[in-house]
Amino acid sequence: MSLVSRDPILLTPGPLTTSLATKTAMLRDWGSWDASFNAITADVRRMLLDIANAKETHVCVPMQGSGTFSIEAAVNTLLPRDGHMLVLINGAYGKRMAKLVQMMGRQVSVFETPEDVPTTAADVDRLLTADTSITHVGLIHCETSTGILNPLHDIAEVVARHKRSLIIDAMSSFGALPVNAKEVPFDALIAASGKCIEGPPGMGFVLARRTVLEKMEGNCTSLSLDLFDQWTYMEKTTQWRFTPPTHIVAAFHQALLQFVAEGGQTARLARYQKNYETLMAGMAELGLKQFLDPKIQAPIIVTVHAPASDNYEFKRFYNQVRDKGYVLYPGKLTQAETFRVGCIGAIGADEMRQAVHAMADALREMGISTKATKAPATKAAAHAL
Ligand SMILES: *Cc1c(COP(=O)(O)O)cnc(C)c1O
């Protein structure tokens, strides 16, 4: 049983730890017809476009549900019935995108690299040259399965040069890693409330190129996920088409205000970078190694090799660390025993340092030796002299 009565710190890629101000913004009930609630929705949409410098070219369409609902809405609405989408895969979210395209009955091709190998612009250039029937490219910016970063800028340039359409799953990167619509051409970028903007989970949003979305009336085969209808209804009435997740919208708005107050994307990235560096320094002390080459690692979530000990079992490690107040995330790799640690959320370097201590203590309690357990022992011996 845990003796920790406060909420644990979530070192997970969403839901994540939110600030007290964001949590308390959920303590009000809003009517969906209320002008003050609809003003909040409008402000959220405007602020999201601002983050990507996209207000002249794109519109922001929010959508109820988890992030996947918004990806499905974007693809089903923007990929024509006779379109052909190429999905670039190096993890579970790439596979999920390919699966949802296939399930809606549209043509899909996949290009898959191992989980520790980014897709390159050269790959995409070659694939688009070889198959001129491909109309759309789906890219996962930061593939959260491992934390690998795919080269968005270079790939976007190649897709634009081939005059194809780019759909970006920027779920775990938006707000932390820079995306400027004036420099990175895309037709849709999708993210959600409960990731790097640090809101609660429950809604996603699509930044869609206005001239493209305008033409897609009647293309979507799903009623609730029709992004065109959601957009036109919202433009006409200021309201959400179906019941809005009012508490989530209000809290997400509050999180966006804090995002701006903190200094926007650059400040958010700097904090996450510090979280990541603090975590990695701690992992090195414990003799634990990261799965990815640091050159292709985003400071969002880190995959760490489990200690090579017969005493190690993730479930037990997870429970011990959680009882100390920190929630880890399981690994998603088949080829190696790993666990994941998120660097995002309303947390800083202090929380990361404390999390490292919790992990060190948990490993000791499991009878797993770490370099850190040896270091104090030597110090103590030297002191005794
Ligand atoms: C979180 C996430 C999603 C959405 O997952 P949901 O469980 O639907 O919220 C999609 N893609 C990536 C890369 C993600 O990190």
Side-chain angles (χ1 to χ4, degrees), residues 244-284:
T246 45
H247 300 73
I248 305 304
V249 178
F252 188 35
H253 183 237
Q254 182 53 240
L256 277 163
L257 293 173
Q258 290 164 70
F259 174 84
V260 172
E262 186 181 350
Q265 175 266 321
T266 49
R268 182 92 4 141
L269 177 59
R271 177 157 57 83
Y272 291 170
Q273 185 70 33
K274 189 88 192 298
N275 288 352
Y276 165 69
E277 283 162 13
T278 306
L279 173 72
M280 292 330 295
M283 292 294 100

mmCIF file of all heavy atoms in Angstrom, residues 244-284:
data_model
loop_
_atom_site.group_PDB
_atom_site.id
_atom_site.type_symbol
_atom_site.label_atom_id
_atom_site.label_comp_id
_atom_site.label_asym_id
_atom_site.label_seq_id
_atom_site.Cartn_x
_atom_site.Cartn_y
_atom_site.Cartn_z
ATOM 1 N N PRO A 244 -19.715 19.059 -26.351
ATOM 2 C CA PRO A 244 -18.285 19.324 -26.151
ATOM 3 C C PRO A 244 -17.791 18.809 -24.807
ATOM 4 O O PRO A 244 -18.563 18.765 -23.847
ATOM 5 C CB PRO A 244 -18.210 20.854 -26.194
ATOM 6 C CG PRO A 244 -19.561 21.325 -25.778
ATOM 7 C CD PRO A 244 -20.556 20.262 -26.158
ATOM 8 N N PRO A 245 -16.527 18.431 -24.719
ATOM 9 C CA PRO A 245 -15.942 18.050 -23.426
ATOM 10 C C PRO A 245 -15.618 19.327 -22.662
ATOM 11 O O PRO A 245 -14.460 19.762 -22.589
ATOM 12 C CB PRO A 245 -14.680 17.271 -23.823
ATOM 13 C CG PRO A 245 -14.278 17.844 -25.148
ATOM 14 C CD PRO A 245 -15.524 18.357 -25.815
ATOM 15 N N THR A 246 -16.653 19.962 -22.093
ATOM 16 C CA THR A 246 -16.527 21.332 -21.570
ATOM 17 C C THR A 246 -15.386 21.512 -20.553
ATOM 18 O O THR A 246 -14.626 22.464 -20.646
ATOM 19 C CB THR A 246 -17.849 21.775 -20.898
ATOM 20 O OG1 THR A 246 -18.314 20.708 -20.069
ATOM 21 C CG2 THR A 246 -18.912 22.088 -21.940
ATOM 22 N N HIS A 247 -15.292 20.585 -19.609
ATOM 23 C CA HIS A 247 -14.274 20.740 -18.560
ATOM 24 C C HIS A 247 -12.863 20.641 -19.144
ATOM 25 O O HIS A 247 -11.946 21.324 -18.702
ATOM 26 C CB HIS A 247 -14.475 19.683 -17.464
ATOM 27 C CG HIS A 247 -15.814 19.778 -16.810
ATOM 28 N ND1 HIS A 247 -16.980 19.386 -17.443
ATOM 29 C CD2 HIS A 247 -16.171 20.221 -15.589
ATOM 30 C CE1 HIS A 247 -17.996 19.600 -16.628
ATOM 31 N NE2 HIS A 247 -17.541 20.102 -15.510
ATOM 32 N N ILE A 248 -12.745 19.776 -20.144
ATOM 33 C CA ILE A 248 -11.434 19.584 -20.786
ATOM 34 C C ILE A 248 -11.056 20.835 -21.583
ATOM 35 O O ILE A 248 -9.904 21.277 -21.548
ATOM 36 C CB ILE A 248 -11.471 18.354 -21.738
ATOM 37 C CG1 ILE A 248 -11.938 17.101 -21.005
ATOM 38 C CG2 ILE A 248 -10.121 18.142 -22.418
ATOM 39 C CD1 ILE A 248 -11.143 16.734 -19.805
ATOM 40 N N VAL A 249 -12.027 21.404 -22.282
ATOM 41 C CA VAL A 249 -11.755 22.609 -23.078
ATOM 42 C C VAL A 249 -11.307 23.746 -22.158
ATOM 43 O O VAL A 249 -10.322 24.446 -22.429
ATOM 44 C CB VAL A 249 -13.003 23.030 -23.894
ATOM 45 C CG1 VAL A 249 -12.722 24.313 -24.673
ATOM 46 C CG2 VAL A 249 -13.424 21.914 -24.853
ATOM 47 N N ALA A 250 -12.024 23.914 -21.036
ATOM 48 C CA ALA A 250 -11.691 24.990 -20.096
ATOM 49 C C ALA A 250 -10.291 24.789 -19.505
ATOM 50 O O ALA A 250 -9.505 25.741 -19.385
ATOM 51 C CB ALA A 250 -12.731 25.050 -18.987
ATOM 52 N N ALA A 251 -9.976 23.546 -19.157
ATOM 53 C CA ALA A 251 -8.656 23.270 -18.576
ATOM 54 C C ALA A 251 -7.555 23.392 -19.633
ATOM 55 O O ALA A 251 -6.448 23.875 -19.344
ATOM 56 C CB ALA A 251 -8.647 21.873 -17.958
ATOM 57 N N PHE A 252 -7.858 22.960 -20.842
ATOM 58 C CA PHE A 252 -6.884 23.064 -21.942
ATOM 59 C C PHE A 252 -6.588 24.543 -22.210
ATOM 60 O O PHE A 252 -5.434 24.927 -22.443
ATOM 61 C CB PHE A 252 -7.462 22.380 -23.185
ATOM 62 C CG PHE A 252 -6.504 22.236 -24.334
ATOM 63 C CD1 PHE A 252 -5.152 21.987 -24.128
ATOM 64 C CD2 PHE A 252 -6.965 22.327 -25.646
ATOM 65 C CE1 PHE A 252 -4.272 21.845 -25.207
ATOM 66 C CE2 PHE A 252 -6.100 22.189 -26.723
ATOM 67 C CZ PHE A 252 -4.757 21.948 -26.502
ATOM 68 N N HIS A 253 -7.616 25.367 -22.153
ATOM 69 C CA HIS A 253 -7.436 26.814 -22.329
ATOM 70 C C HIS A 253 -6.506 27.376 -21.254
ATOM 71 O O HIS A 253 -5.570 28.128 -21.548
ATOM 72 C CB HIS A 253 -8.804 27.506 -22.273
ATOM 73 C CG HIS A 253 -8.733 28.985 -22.504
ATOM 74 N ND1 HIS A 253 -9.216 29.899 -21.596
ATOM 75 C CD2 HIS A 253 -8.212 29.693 -23.530
ATOM 76 C CE1 HIS A 253 -8.992 31.121 -22.075
ATOM 77 N NE2 HIS A 253 -8.395 31.021 -23.242
ATOM 78 N N GLN A 254 -6.748 26.962 -20.034
ATOM 79 C CA GLN A 254 -5.906 27.389 -18.917
ATOM 80 C C GLN A 254 -4.454 26.932 -19.143
ATOM 81 O O GLN A 254 -3.503 27.689 -18.915
ATOM 82 C CB GLN A 254 -6.466 26.807 -17.614
ATOM 83 C CG GLN A 254 -5.735 27.187 -16.362
ATOM 84 C CD GLN A 254 -5.556 28.682 -16.194
ATOM 85 O OE1 GLN A 254 -4.430 29.173 -16.113
ATOM 86 N NE2 GLN A 254 -6.658 29.417 -16.151
ATOM 87 N N ALA A 255 -4.295 25.702 -19.622
ATOM 88 C CA ALA A 255 -2.945 25.178 -19.900
ATOM 89 C C ALA A 255 -2.274 25.993 -21.005
ATOM 90 O O ALA A 255 -1.068 26.252 -20.950
ATOM 91 C CB ALA A 255 -3.031 23.698 -20.294
ATOM 92 N N LEU A 256 -3.064 26.420 -21.994
ATOM 93 C CA LEU A 256 -2.503 27.237 -23.084
ATOM 94 C C LEU A 256 -2.060 28.613 -22.569
ATOM 95 O O LEU A 256 -1.009 29.127 -22.980
ATOM 96 C CB LEU A 256 -3.537 27.401 -24.201
ATOM 97 C CG LEU A 256 -3.618 26.241 -25.196
ATOM 98 C CD1 LEU A 256 -4.927 26.293 -25.985
ATOM 99 C CD2 LEU A 256 -2.430 26.239 -26.156
ATOM 100 N N LEU A 257 -2.832 29.195 -21.655
ATOM 101 C CA LEU A 257 -2.437 30.483 -21.079
ATOM 102 C C LEU A 257 -1.099 30.340 -20.337
ATOM 103 O O LEU A 257 -0.217 31.199 -20.422
ATOM 104 C CB LEU A 257 -3.526 31.001 -20.118
ATOM 105 C CG LEU A 257 -4.863 31.406 -20.762
ATOM 106 C CD1 LEU A 257 -5.897 31.720 -19.687
ATOM 107 C CD2 LEU A 257 -4.680 32.605 -21.700
ATOM 108 N N GLN A 258 -0.951 29.225 -19.613
ATOM 109 C CA GLN A 258 0.312 28.984 -18.900
ATOM 110 C C GLN A 258 1.462 28.726 -19.864
ATOM 111 O O GLN A 258 2.611 29.093 -19.607
ATOM 112 C CB GLN A 258 0.144 27.802 -17.948
ATOM 113 C CG GLN A 258 -0.760 28.105 -16.764
ATOM 114 C CD GLN A 258 -1.215 26.829 -16.069
ATOM 115 O OE1 GLN A 258 -0.431 26.146 -15.424
ATOM 116 N NE2 GLN A 258 -2.474 26.492 -16.225
ATOM 117 N N PHE A 259 1.136 28.069 -20.964
ATOM 118 C CA PHE A 259 2.139 27.798 -22.007
ATOM 119 C C PHE A 259 2.707 29.124 -22.531
ATOM 120 O O PHE A 259 3.930 29.295 -22.644
ATOM 121 C CB PHE A 259 1.461 27.012 -23.139
ATOM 122 C CG PHE A 259 2.310 26.771 -24.353
ATOM 123 C CD1 PHE A 259 3.192 25.699 -24.403
ATOM 124 C CD2 PHE A 259 2.217 27.605 -25.460
ATOM 125 C CE1 PHE A 259 3.970 25.469 -25.535
ATOM 126 C CE2 PHE A 259 2.986 27.389 -26.598
ATOM 127 C CZ PHE A 259 3.864 26.316 -26.629
ATOM 128 N N VAL A 260 1.820 30.062 -22.811
ATOM 129 C CA VAL A 260 2.244 31.377 -23.309
ATOM 130 C C VAL A 260 3.028 32.124 -22.225
ATOM 131 O O VAL A 260 4.096 32.689 -22.483
ATOM 132 C CB VAL A 260 1.023 32.207 -23.782
ATOM 133 C CG1 VAL A 260 1.427 33.642 -24.115
ATOM 134 C CG2 VAL A 260 0.367 31.538 -24.985
ATOM 135 N N ALA A 261 2.513 32.080 -20.986
ATOM 136 C CA ALA A 261 3.166 32.789 -19.885
ATOM 137 C C ALA A 261 4.573 32.242 -19.622
ATOM 138 O O ALA A 261 5.484 32.986 -19.247
ATOM 139 C CB ALA A 261 2.313 32.686 -18.618
ATOM 140 N N GLU A 262 4.747 30.932 -19.838
ATOM 141 C CA GLU A 262 6.060 30.324 -19.606
ATOM 142 C C GLU A 262 7.081 30.766 -20.655
ATOM 143 O O GLU A 262 8.289 30.702 -20.419
ATOM 144 C CB GLU A 262 5.923 28.783 -19.603
ATOM 145 C CG GLU A 262 7.195 28.035 -19.227
ATOM 146 C CD GLU A 262 7.033 26.510 -19.251
ATOM 147 O OE1 GLU A 262 5.886 26.015 -19.381
ATOM 148 O OE2 GLU A 262 8.061 25.822 -19.144
ATOM 149 N N GLY A 263 6.571 31.219 -21.818
ATOM 150 C CA GLY A 263 7.486 31.641 -22.884
ATOM 151 C C GLY A 263 7.294 30.854 -24.169
ATOM 152 O O GLY A 263 8.152 30.872 -25.042
ATOM 153 N N GLY A 264 6.169 30.129 -24.245
ATOM 154 C CA GLY A 264 5.822 29.430 -25.490
ATOM 155 C C GLY A 264 6.690 28.211 -25.760
ATOM 156 O O GLY A 264 7.290 27.640 -24.842
ATOM 157 N N GLN A 265 6.755 27.857 -27.039
ATOM 158 C CA GLN A 265 7.416 26.602 -27.448
ATOM 159 C C GLN A 265 8.891 26.535 -27.030
ATOM 160 O O GLN A 265 9.358 25.488 -26.577
ATOM 161 C CB GLN A 265 7.252 26.420 -28.966
ATOM 162 C CG GLN A 265 7.984 25.231 -29.556
ATOM 163 C CD GLN A 265 9.357 25.606 -30.075
ATOM 164 O OE1 GLN A 265 9.543 26.668 -30.662
ATOM 165 N NE2 GLN A 265 10.334 24.732 -29.860
ATOM 166 N N THR A 266 9.624 27.646 -27.184
ATOM 167 C CA THR A 266 11.065 27.567 -26.885
ATOM 168 C C THR A 266 11.306 27.305 -25.393
ATOM 169 O O THR A 266 12.193 26.527 -25.035
ATOM 170 C CB THR A 266 11.818 28.846 -27.325
ATOM 171 O OG1 THR A 266 11.102 29.979 -26.817
ATOM 172 C CG2 THR A 266 11.915 28.962 -28.830
ATOM 173 N N ALA A 267 10.477 27.941 -24.552
ATOM 174 C CA ALA A 267 10.628 27.733 -23.106
ATOM 175 C C ALA A 267 10.222 26.303 -22.732
ATOM 176 O O ALA A 267 10.851 25.659 -21.884
ATOM 177 C CB ALA A 267 9.778 28.734 -22.341
ATOM 178 N N ARG A 268 9.161 25.821 -23.390
ATOM 179 C CA ARG A 268 8.708 24.454 -23.096
ATOM 180 C C ARG A 268 9.783 23.449 -23.484
ATOM 181 O O ARG A 268 10.100 22.536 -22.731
ATOM 182 C CB ARG A 268 7.395 24.194 -23.849
ATOM 183 C CG ARG A 268 6.766 22.885 -23.623
ATOM 184 C CD ARG A 268 5.751 22.759 -22.519
ATOM 185 N NE ARG A 268 5.310 23.871 -21.734
ATOM 186 C CZ ARG A 268 4.059 24.069 -21.321
ATOM 187 N NH1 ARG A 268 3.114 23.225 -21.669
ATOM 188 N NH2 ARG A 268 3.754 25.084 -20.544
ATOM 189 N N LEU A 269 10.363 23.645 -24.650
ATOM 190 C CA LEU A 269 11.419 22.730 -25.101
ATOM 191 C C LEU A 269 12.618 22.789 -24.149
ATOM 192 O O LEU A 269 13.175 21.741 -23.797
ATOM 193 C CB LEU A 269 11.858 23.087 -26.529
ATOM 194 C CG LEU A 269 13.004 22.245 -27.102
ATOM 195 C CD1 LEU A 269 12.634 20.766 -27.141
ATOM 196 C CD2 LEU A 269 13.382 22.727 -28.508
ATOM 197 N N ALA A 270 12.978 23.997 -23.714
ATOM 198 C CA ALA A 270 14.135 24.134 -22.814
ATOM 199 C C ALA A 270 13.883 23.365 -21.507
ATOM 200 O O ALA A 270 14.778 22.681 -20.997
ATOM 201 C CB ALA A 270 14.400 25.608 -22.532
ATOM 202 N N ARG A 271 12.664 23.461 -20.982
ATOM 203 C CA ARG A 271 12.363 22.743 -19.729
ATOM 204 C C ARG A 271 12.417 21.221 -19.947
ATOM 205 O O ARG A 271 13.004 20.487 -19.144
ATOM 206 C CB ARG A 271 10.985 23.177 -19.191
ATOM 207 C CG ARG A 271 10.566 22.429 -17.925
ATOM 208 C CD ARG A 271 9.537 23.183 -17.081
ATOM 209 N NE ARG A 271 8.315 23.517 -17.794
ATOM 210 C CZ ARG A 271 7.283 22.681 -17.968
ATOM 211 N NH1 ARG A 271 7.350 21.455 -17.483
ATOM 212 N NH2 ARG A 271 6.201 23.080 -18.621
ATOM 213 N N TYR A 272 11.830 20.761 -21.046
ATOM 214 C CA TYR A 272 11.842 19.312 -21.320
ATOM 215 C C TYR A 272 13.260 18.805 -21.584
ATOM 216 O O TYR A 272 13.623 17.693 -21.199
ATOM 217 C CB TYR A 272 10.939 18.973 -22.518
ATOM 218 C CG TYR A 272 9.456 19.146 -22.264
ATOM 219 C CD1 TYR A 272 8.545 19.065 -23.318
ATOM 220 C CD2 TYR A 272 8.943 19.370 -20.984
ATOM 221 C CE1 TYR A 272 7.178 19.212 -23.112
ATOM 222 C CE2 TYR A 272 7.586 19.523 -20.760
ATOM 223 C CZ TYR A 272 6.708 19.439 -21.827
ATOM 224 O OH TYR A 272 5.351 19.578 -21.632
ATOM 225 N N GLN A 273 14.057 19.649 -22.250
ATOM 226 C CA GLN A 273 15.450 19.282 -22.531
ATOM 227 C C GLN A 273 16.206 19.100 -21.205
ATOM 228 O O GLN A 273 16.953 18.133 -21.035
ATOM 229 C CB GLN A 273 16.087 20.392 -23.382
ATOM 230 C CG GLN A 273 17.507 20.112 -23.852
ATOM 231 C CD GLN A 273 17.578 19.014 -24.906
ATOM 232 O OE1 GLN A 273 16.653 18.873 -25.715
ATOM 233 N NE2 GLN A 273 18.644 18.226 -24.884
ATOM 234 N N LYS A 274 15.958 20.007 -20.286
ATOM 235 C CA LYS A 274 16.599 19.922 -18.957
ATOM 236 C C LYS A 274 16.105 18.668 -18.220
ATOM 237 O O LYS A 274 16.896 17.964 -17.592
ATOM 238 C CB LYS A 274 16.244 21.192 -18.165
ATOM 239 C CG LYS A 274 16.974 21.382 -16.871
ATOM 240 C CD LYS A 274 18.282 22.124 -17.082
ATOM 241 C CE LYS A 274 19.171 22.084 -15.840
ATOM 242 N NZ LYS A 274 18.555 22.745 -14.670
ATOM 243 N N ASN A 275 14.803 18.400 -18.316
ATOM 244 C CA ASN A 275 14.251 17.179 -17.698
ATOM 245 C C ASN A 275 14.955 15.948 -18.258
ATOM 246 O O ASN A 275 15.345 15.036 -17.527
ATOM 247 C CB ASN A 275 12.749 17.060 -17.991
ATOM 248 C CG ASN A 275 11.922 18.070 -17.212
ATOM 249 O OD1 ASN A 275 12.435 18.774 -16.345
ATOM 250 N ND2 ASN A 275 10.631 18.137 -17.519
ATOM 251 N N TYR A 276 15.098 15.939 -19.568
ATOM 252 C CA TYR A 276 15.721 14.807 -20.261
ATOM 253 C C TYR A 276 17.174 14.638 -19.814
ATOM 254 O O TYR A 276 17.612 13.531 -19.474
ATOM 255 C CB TYR A 276 15.620 15.041 -21.784
ATOM 256 C CG TYR A 276 16.513 14.167 -22.617
ATOM 257 C CD1 TYR A 276 16.284 12.796 -22.727
ATOM 258 C CD2 TYR A 276 17.605 14.703 -23.301
ATOM 259 C CE1 TYR A 276 17.108 11.992 -23.492
ATOM 260 C CE2 TYR A 276 18.435 13.915 -24.070
ATOM 261 C CZ TYR A 276 18.186 12.558 -24.159
ATOM 262 O OH TYR A 276 19.009 11.768 -24.911
ATOM 263 N N GLU A 277 17.922 15.749 -19.790
ATOM 264 C CA GLU A 277 19.344 15.675 -19.405
ATOM 265 C C GLU A 277 19.500 15.240 -17.950
ATOM 266 O O GLU A 277 20.380 14.450 -17.620
ATOM 267 C CB GLU A 277 20.024 17.033 -19.634
ATOM 268 C CG GLU A 277 20.319 17.247 -21.113
ATOM 269 C CD GLU A 277 20.569 18.704 -21.471
ATOM 270 O OE1 GLU A 277 20.758 19.533 -20.548
ATOM 271 O OE2 GLU A 277 20.558 19.010 -22.688
ATOM 272 N N THR A 278 18.621 15.734 -17.089
ATOM 273 C CA THR A 278 18.662 15.342 -15.669
ATOM 274 C C THR A 278 18.397 13.844 -15.535
ATOM 275 O O THR A 278 19.085 13.130 -14.801
ATOM 276 C CB THR A 278 17.608 16.146 -14.874
ATOM 277 O OG1 THR A 278 17.828 17.537 -15.114
ATOM 278 C CG2 THR A 278 17.691 15.855 -13.390
ATOM 279 N N LEU A 279 17.389 13.386 -16.270
ATOM 280 C CA LEU A 279 17.051 11.960 -16.239
ATOM 281 C C LEU A 279 18.225 11.119 -16.736
ATOM 282 O O LEU A 279 18.584 10.119 -16.102
ATOM 283 C CB LEU A 279 15.815 11.711 -17.120
ATOM 284 C CG LEU A 279 15.441 10.251 -17.314
ATOM 285 C CD1 LEU A 279 14.861 9.672 -16.023
ATOM 286 C CD2 LEU A 279 14.433 10.090 -18.446
ATOM 287 N N MET A 280 18.823 11.520 -17.865
ATOM 288 C CA MET A 280 19.889 10.706 -18.448
ATOM 289 C C MET A 280 21.123 10.674 -17.553
ATOM 290 O O MET A 280 21.790 9.648 -17.458
ATOM 291 C CB MET A 280 20.252 11.204 -19.859
ATOM 292 C CG MET A 280 19.168 10.984 -20.915
ATOM 293 S SD MET A 280 18.077 9.555 -20.677
ATOM 294 C CE MET A 280 19.230 8.203 -20.848
ATOM 295 N N ALA A 281 21.412 11.801 -16.880
ATOM 296 C CA ALA A 281 22.545 11.818 -15.939
ATOM 297 C C ALA A 281 22.275 10.808 -14.824
ATOM 298 O O ALA A 281 23.163 10.046 -14.427
ATOM 299 C CB ALA A 281 22.735 13.215 -15.368
ATOM 300 N N GLY A 282 21.033 10.762 -14.357
ATOM 301 C CA GLY A 282 20.657 9.825 -13.302
ATOM 302 C C GLY A 282 20.715 8.379 -13.777
ATOM 303 O O GLY A 282 21.188 7.493 -13.060
ATOM 304 N N MET A 283 20.232 8.136 -15.002
ATOM 305 C CA MET A 283 20.252 6.775 -15.539
ATOM 306 C C MET A 283 21.698 6.285 -15.665
ATOM 307 O O MET A 283 21.997 5.127 -15.376
ATOM 308 C CB MET A 283 19.560 6.723 -16.912
ATOM 309 C CG MET A 283 18.060 6.976 -16.893
ATOM 310 S SD MET A 283 17.086 5.707 -16.047
ATOM 311 C CE MET A 283 16.835 6.492 -14.497
ATOM 312 N N ALA A 284 22.581 7.188 -16.097
ATOM 313 C CA ALA A 284 23.994 6.814 -16.253
ATOM 314 C C ALA A 284 24.580 6.415 -14.897
ATOM 315 O O ALA A 284 25.318 5.436 -14.794
ATOM 316 C CB ALA A 284 24.777 7.976 -16.863
#
